[in-house]
Amino acid sequence: MPYQPSQVKTIGILTSGGDCPGLNAAIRGVAKAARDAFGAEVIGVLNGFTGLIENRIVHMSDRDLIGLLTSGGTVLGTSRIKPNKYPAQNGTFRDMTGACVETYRRLGIDCLVCIGGGGTQKNALHLKQAGLNIVTLPKTIDNDVAETDVTFGYDSAMTIATEAIDRLHTTASSHHRIMLVDIMGNNAGWLALGASLAGGADVCLIPEIPFHIDSIVAALEHRRSRGRRFSLVSVAEGAITLDSVGKKKQKIHTKKVSKSLAHEEGRHLASRELAVMLEDRLEMETRITTLGYIQRGGIPTPTDRILATQLGVKAARLMADGTFGVMIGVKGDHLEPVALEQVAGKKKTIPLDHAMIQTARLIGLNLGD
Ligand code: F6P
């Protein structure tokens, strides 16, 4: 049903930050509904905010939307570039906010839809403050964006991580091993805890609950005393030991690898160290599986397809109404606009009294504390 006449005739869409399943479904949702709602012209901005800075865009026709609902990744490309911190020479940065504003104006964009996680919400607020009309959608496998119950991408990643735990169970059981599975999620434990509950892990370590090795050893010894000759331990990338709370994270020092690769290696230190300690204390063969980027690849689940589409359509409706400067948050059964000021710079970690944590404790899933 056509919505109503709108001042918005041309929209831009970009995807920014780490990719996840459902981005293409969201692009399709926005574009289709914006066309139907107000006959909008749709411009795809390539590679996140880089496209705005460097004027890299594509005009998107109906044909460009074919196959997007089900495909993984993002057809627009993505990056972690910030408008106000564009890498220049010798490791320095330049503020390219002006270039973003100029591209937006030159292309006659009336509203820019930014699809991304926490970093994207910050960048979007920055551009809002520079005078652009912005609507954002929350996506990330980490599920850590503030002011939304859930982000799209989370369900797909949790499905992948759960399947991995299922598969690791059988091989752990055959070899009587401890299997550590290293799960993404940045500084939030949503993904690790969700997959651990769904996959029936024995221990789950999340950043919200610093862990103590003795607690894990006791839990695994207890399992062994009951005749269980294998165990499944999931470790969120942000998990930390009780001893290291408040201390600086250990860094990998080497000149041979890029800063980002060293950072990537640093993410897995907790599971590496833990594996060595567990093997030593329990004298059980231990193996580590790092799920890594597999969690971000491939097709979205039906839940993520639906959520991404609904968010995209809602974005079009808000633009038609002239509502800008907001992220669309999922609040129970509703999709509600939330001012970007309320979202940017905040992180949604798991509250310690959350139902998932209570459930974990009641079924004997050890949380390392
Ligand atoms: O935000 C999604 C995420 O996959 C995090 O779980 C992880 O910490 C990070 O992105 C990895 O980022 P990059 O793609 O830059 O290595």
Side-chain angles (χ1 to χ4, degrees), residues 17-19 80 139-142 144 183-187 191 237 260 263-264 267 292-293 295-296:
D19 73 341
R80 293 194 185 276
K139 73 88 210 167
T140 164
I141 64 166
D142 305 337
D144 62 351
I183 297 182
M184 275 189 171
N186 207 346
N187 288 318
L191 189 52
E237 67 171 287
S260 54
H263 181 66
E264 157 65 10
R267 284 192 192 118
Y293 298 88
Q295 294 159 106
R296 288 196 347 210

Side-chain angles (χ1 to χ4, degrees), residues 9-303:
K9 298 290 174 229
T10 303
I11 64 162
I13 308 178
L14 63 78
T15 53
S16 170
D19 73 341
C20 72
L23 282 169
N24 284 331
I27 295 167
R28 171 181 174 269
V30 176
K32 273 186 174 258
R35 282 221 178 88
D36 285 355
F38 44 87
E41 192 197 328
V42 179
I43 294 177
V45 177
L46 301 178
N47 306 327
F49 294 97
T50 310
L52 215 51
I53 295 167
E54 298 177 358
N55 189 31
R56 288 172 193 257
I57 56 123
V58 285
H59 291 273
M60 297 186 84
S61 69
D62 269 339
R63 286 180 65 84
D64 296 313
L65 307 181
I66 296 170
L68 290 197
L69 178 62
T70 55
S71 61
T74 161
V75 282
L76 295 177
T78 186
S79 71
R80 293 194 185 276
I81 294 294
K82 303 178 175 82
N84 56 344
K85 227 177 156 195
Y86 184 70
Q89 283 165 341
N90 305 327
T92 59
F93 295 96
R94 287 176 66 192
D95 185 348
M96 299 300 277
T97 310
C100 293
V101 175
E102 199 193 314
T103 305
Y104 176 97
R105 302 252 184 262
R106 185 167 13 82
L107 293 170
I109 295 175
D110 299 303
C111 182
L112 179 68
V113 179
C114 303
I115 309 176
T120 304
Q121 309 303 328
K122 268 202 216 170
N123 293 330
L125 174 61
H126 180 72
L127 292 183
K128 171 186 177 178
Q129 288 162 345
L132 307 196
N133 291 332
I134 306 274
V135 172
T136 71
L137 306 185
K139 73 88 210 167
T140 164
I141 64 166
D142 305 337
N143 195 34
D144 62 351
V145 177
E147 296 295 333
T148 184
D149 294 351
V150 68
T151 55
F152 72 82
Y154 173 55
D155 187 67
S156 302
M158 191 161 50
T159 303
I160 297 163
T162 301
E163 190 191 335
I165 293 178
D166 290 347
R167 288 176 185 274
L168 289 170
H169 258 119
T170 62
T171 172
S173 155
S174 309
H175 287 268
H176 318 302
R177 283 173 171 161
I178 297 174
M179 284 289 182
L180 256 75
V181 54
D182 196 325
I183 297 182
M184 275 189 171
N186 207 346
N187 288 318
W190 298 103
L191 189 52
L193 184 56
S196 298
L197 284 171
D202 305 300
V203 175
C204 174
L205 307 175
I206 55 175
E208 291 84 348
I209 303 178
F211 67 88
H212 200 291
I213 183 77
D214 292 342
S215 161
I216 305 165
V217 169
L220 299 188
E221 264 170 353
H222 179 62
R223 258 181 76 73
R224 189 159 58 180
S225 70
R226 286 162 51 233
R228 313 286 203 275
R229 298 186 60 204
F230 70 94
S231 289
L232 213 303
V233 177
S234 73
V235 186
E237 67 171 287
I240 48 166
T241 61
L242 204 52
D243 304 339
S244 57
V245 174
K247 291 189 192 146
K248 266 197 153 180
K249 271 201 179 159
Q250 198 181 327
K251 282 196 178 143
I252 301 209
H253 294 285
T254 166
K255 285 191 176 137
K256 289 210 178 105
V257 299
S258 68
K259 219 171 148 193
S260 54
L261 186 56
H263 181 66
E264 157 65 10
E265 268 307 298
R267 284 192 192 118
H268 310 300
L269 281 179
S271 55
R272 304 288 184 273
E273 287 173 3
L274 182 64
V276 173
M277 287 194 274
L278 290 181
E279 196 166 75
D280 186 43
R281 298 265 304 259
L282 291 158
E283 293 184 355
M284 274 177 80
E285 233 184 5
T286 304
R287 294 285 188 270
I288 307 172
T289 302
T290 301
L291 299 186
Y293 298 88
I294 286 169
Q295 294 159 106
R296 288 196 347 210
I299 61 170
T301 55
T303 300

Side-chain angles (χ1 to χ4, degrees), residues 136 147-148 311 314 318 326-339:
T136 71
E147 296 295 333
T148 184
L311 287 166
K314 181 75 177 182
L318 288 177
V326 294
M327 180 192 83
I328 305 173
V330 181
K331 310 268 178 174
D333 288 343
H334 298 282
L335 299 183
E336 288 174 15
V338 187

